[in-house]
Amino acid sequence: MTRALTPRNLVTAALLIGLALLPLYVALTGDRFMLTLFTRIVILAMAAVSLNLILGYGGMMSFGHAAYLGLGGYTVAILSFEGVHSGFIQWPAAIAVSALFALAVGALSLRTRGVYFIMITLAFAQMAYYLASGMARYGGDDGLSLEARSTFAGLVNLSNKTTFYYVCLILLFASIVLVWRLTNSRFGMVLQGVRSNETRMGAIGYPTFRYKLTGFVIAGTLCGLSGALIANHTDFVSPSMMFWTRSGDLIVMVVLGGMGTLFGPVFGALALLFLEQFLPALISAAVRPINPAGAAKAGEYWQLVLGPLLLFVVLFARGGIDGMLRSLSRRGADAEKARHD
Amino acid sequence: MTDALLNVEGLSKRFGGIVATDDLSLTVARGELHAIIGPNGAGKTTLIAQLSGQLRCDSGRIRFAGEDITALPPHTRSLKGLARSFQITSLFLDLSVLDNVALAVQAHAGHSFHFWRDARTEEALRAPARAALERAGLSGRADSPAAALSHGEHRQLELAMALAGNPRMLLLDEPMAGLGPEESARMVAKLRALKNDVTILLVEHDMEAVFALADRITVLVYGRVIASGAPDEIRANAQVREAYLGDADKGSVHV
């Protein structure tokens, strides 16, 4: 057994190939719903990858990351509402707005640590949420529908769902490559040093604030881009996409998948959205033989099952899904070694 | 003592009603190993923290290589060549031993806004890091996670990280803390070898080590300097024996 063929690498490779071939499955089975679901998974995975950069690698527990999804989404929707449909304008604008917001939030919040940092990032995200609710011209609480998806002047047609899926997937892969390069660069080493021991980083000569701020802005910007994608995916934006529970979902994806690992957030997004989608039906099916009348109702309590499941992962599988795969790989390597000895 | 590298004048620090540093003045000459001793609570670690910039002093002035550094933040002082090690091991436990030292090297290699190239393959960072590990006697453990090291090895790693930036002066806060006799002896040998290359301010409880290594010793009690001089002078100083050891009746400080 060569080291490249560990269970972890095999599962990761299978995931990536599976994602790339999904439209083929959809074309063969005609299961359009899967394409919709997976487009959503890919977009939110990208948001989780961006959060992982600061949470997993930088140790910054941002509890307001969904704000960037909303900002990116609203930028696209508002421009579209005002008659600007070109993605060449919409997407860079979404990126710029998210970057500026991240710069402002980071400049204030990164001077604090621990609970205060969490609370400030949360407060800013809620501010964005209420701001969006208050914009009467753009639908307020009811949200805003996109008249049309972003246009790219004949380059790609995002109205084609398969094309759109691939655009999202390419951007997800690009984000992963970006995070991979970043985290192994000098900048990334500083980020991980800060996560590990910020006081010591100062003592050995790093002005940590500016590196944390840079990481924070990169993560926010990347998430803003996934916000632009999600607006195009649902053809709709609403304040609820910035609500604090959405930020919580992103954190759960990162923790569930494996903090500070390259593919962890993708596993996490996939697992959480799958559970969200199929757990209710699964519970209903399990309850039906016992209580046929209450089966449908039981499915509504799927979060009662999800909660303990997350608790289990946090308590017993510290590294999340990726951590489980890694320990599986290690066990395999040990067994292999024992056989040779 | 004309060639002062570090010069402290009238340093004071209060925590509420407690005076941690009381009008303290101190000069460390270039090239010497200057030890600070004193009973628990004498303000030794507080002094190190003020010198390295983690703590602001209430009043007084710190000059390093002729430059007033009193108001500078820790990272700037570190870049000017003033490196500290920590009494309580303060490492990047989830990174490898070599990564720990390479981070210390990187801190002194310009800004770190390099986003693409793999830092772990940069010889400009790895080679000096390996050299510092070698000097600290840890080259054998370069690829272990820092968390897997023994306490003695952690102390060595602390030293390697302080050395990594080629500092002009080392502030060592109890490098022997918690070491067994054998490890202690090894650390003393390490420090003696370093003495020729770098000025050292050593805070240490291990009297044997202090008297074996120091060129000058300053005795701190309740944040105040009660004596400063060559080891023999300190050994003979009645005030030191009384205040520090509380046994003025006995003939000498046992070393």
Side-chain angles (χ1 to χ4, degrees):
Chain A
M1 187 163 92
T2 56
R3 282 188 64 80
L5 289 176
T6 61
R8 181 191 187 204
N9 291 354
L10 288 174
V11 171
T12 305
L15 171 75
L16 299 183
I17 294 168
L19 285 175
L21 294 182
L22 182 92
L24 192 66
Y25 164 82
V26 171
L28 289 175
T29 60
D31 188 354
R32 305 290 296 172
F33 169 73
M34 274 309 210
L35 191 60
T36 307
L37 175 65
F38 268 86
T39 306
R40 186 173 171 76
I41 289 173
V42 165
I43 295 171
L44 288 179
M46 186 175 156
V49 164
S50 76
L51 176 62
N52 185 41
L53 177 66
I54 51 173
L55 175 60
Y57 290 99
M60 293 172 249
M61 180 70 191
S62 167
F63 208 148
H65 213 62
Y68 305 100
L69 278 177
L71 286 168
Y74 263 95
T75 307
V76 168
I78 287 173
L79 282 174
S80 167
F81 181 81
E82 300 294 355
V84 181
H85 296 293
S86 168
F88 291 119
I89 297 170
Q90 287 179 347
W91 291 22
I95 288 172
V97 167
S98 316
L100 281 176
F101 187 75
L103 189 66
V105 175
L108 289 165
S109 63
L110 288 169
R111 296 183 190 281
T112 63
R113 288 187 207 180
V115 177
Y116 301 101
F117 177 73
I118 296 173
M119 294 318 280
I120 293 176
T121 52
L122 174 62
F124 272 106
Q126 287 299 87
M127 227 166 73
Y129 168 79
Y130 286 113
L131 187 73
S133 302
M135 293 192 300
R137 179 175 167 80
Y138 304 117
D141 272 330
D142 299 329
L144 181 61
S145 288
L146 253 70
E147 282 177 44
R149 290 191 170 180
S150 307
T151 56
F152 281 92
L155 196 64
V156 284
N157 175 16
L158 299 188
S159 299
N160 180 316
K161 293 204 162 145
T162 307
T163 308
F164 182 64
Y165 174 79
Y166 275 120
V167 167
C168 296
L169 191 64
I170 288 167
L171 286 173
L172 170 66
F173 285 172
S175 317
I176 293 172
V177 170
L178 179 72
V179 168
W180 171 56
R181 295 310 305 177
L182 279 181
T183 50
N184 286 304
S185 70
R186 288 192 181 198
F187 171 75
M189 293 307 290
V190 173
L191 220 52
Q192 289 169 79
V194 167
R195 171 190 67 195
S196 185
N197 190 341
E198 189 173 354
T199 311
R200 186 61 194 252
M201 286 301 278
I204 58 178
Y206 290 101
T208 54
F209 176 75
R210 58 183 81 151
Y211 293 108
K212 288 196 294 179
L213 184 58
T214 306
F216 196 82
V217 171
I218 293 173
T221 308
L222 205 54
C223 193
L225 182 58
S226 52
L229 294 179
I230 208 128
N232 274 290
H233 175 54
T234 52
D235 300 308
F236 175 72
V237 292
S238 81
S240 69
M241 54 200 286
M242 289 187 265
F243 197 58
W244 65 274
T245 54
R246 310 305 301 173
S247 296
D249 286 346
L250 290 177
I251 293 174
V252 167
M253 287 174 196
V254 173
V255 173
L256 184 67
M259 279 195 285
T261 62
L262 207 50
F263 294 99
V266 185
F267 286 125
L270 186 73
L272 186 68
L273 292 179
F274 252 74
L275 287 171
E276 211 174 85
Q277 196 64 50
F278 299 113
L279 208 51
L282 223 62
I283 294 171
S284 293
V287 169
R288 191 154 293 123
I290 313 162
N291 179 1
K297 188 97 187 121
E300 290 172 20
Y301 295 100
W302 61 279
Q303 290 192 327
L304 272 178
V305 177
L306 181 68
L309 207 67
L310 292 177
L311 210 62
F312 177 82
V313 170
V314 171
L315 289 177
F316 298 106
R318 267 299 182 55
I321 296 170
D322 189 86
M324 280 191 258
L325 290 173
R326 205 175 335 171
S327 62
L328 213 69
S329 307
R330 204 172 305 132
R331 219 168 300 154
D334 288 349
E336 185 76 8
K337 208 167 142 219
R339 214 171 311 142
H340 280 298
D341 285 347
Chain B
M1 219 203 293
T2 46
D3 196 12
L5 183 58
L6 181 77
N7 186 280
V8 178
E9 270 172 48
L11 204 65
S12 290
K13 178 76 197 174
R14 256 164 231 284
F15 296 107
I18 299 162
V19 185
T21 310
D22 187 2
D23 193 23
L24 183 147
S25 296
L26 177 78
T27 301
V28 179
R30 208 178 295 271
E32 80 174 359
L33 191 150
H34 195 121
I36 307 268
I37 61 173
N40 282 329
K44 302 184 296 285
T45 296
T46 308
L47 175 62
I48 294 266
Q50 288 174 91
L51 294 179
S52 61
Q54 267 93 25
L55 266 183
R56 280 295 168 89
C57 39
D58 297 336
S59 63
R61 225 175 37 162
I62 305 168
R63 296 172 72 83
F64 181 66
E67 187 186 353
D68 192 331
I69 60 163
T70 320
L72 296 182
H75 65 89
T76 318
R77 295 185 200 205
S78 168
L79 295 180
K80 289 188 182 299
L82 189 61
R84 83 166 283 190
S85 80
F86 287 77
Q87 177 187 359
I88 296 157
T89 302
S90 174
L91 300 164
F92 308 112
L93 290 177
D94 44 4
L95 302 180
S96 81
V97 169
L98 189 58
D99 282 347
N100 269 263
V101 190
L103 260 178
V105 174
Q106 190 185 318
H108 296 262
H111 66 77
S112 290
F113 289 106
H114 298 280
F115 298 102
W116 203 254
R117 196 167 151 204
D118 191 341
R120 288 192 177 92
T121 61
E122 283 190 56
E123 268 312 296
L125 301 177
R126 302 314 255 193
R130 271 189 233 104
L133 277 180
E134 181 86 52
R135 275 170 96 184
L138 257 189
S139 17
R141 303 300 305 267
D143 296 321
S144 311
L149 262 52
S150 73
H151 178 72
E153 288 171 322
H154 276 161
R155 307 306 307 174
Q156 284 169 282
L157 180 51
E158 278 282 341
L159 186 63
M161 288 175 70
L163 285 172
N166 273 323
R168 283 193 276 181
M169 181 165 184
L170 277 178
L171 305 170
L172 299 179
D173 195 358
E174 299 203 22
M176 259 68 98
L179 293 190
E182 210 172 295
E183 290 171 318
S184 260
R186 226 177 308 148
M187 184 62 86
V188 168
K190 281 268 127 56
L191 294 182
R192 186 172 290 130
L194 283 175
K195 231 172 103 166
N196 305 317
D197 306 333
V198 52
T199 308
I200 298 176
L201 185 78
L202 171 72
V203 165
E204 187 50 64
H205 267 303
D206 184 337
M207 287 303 122
E208 204 174 323
V210 166
F211 280 92
L213 286 168
D215 300 308
R216 290 178 69 78
I217 297 175
T218 292
V219 186
L220 226 55
V221 175
Y222 295 123
R224 217 167 333 139
V225 175
I226 63 160
S228 189
D232 287 338
E233 293 172 54
I234 297 299
R235 215 188 303 254
N237 188 315
Q239 207 189 346
V240 172
R241 288 212 302 273
E242 185 175 3
Y244 182 53
L245 295 153
D247 61 351
D249 302 334
K250 284 195 190 153
S252 69
V253 176
H254 30 223
V255 246

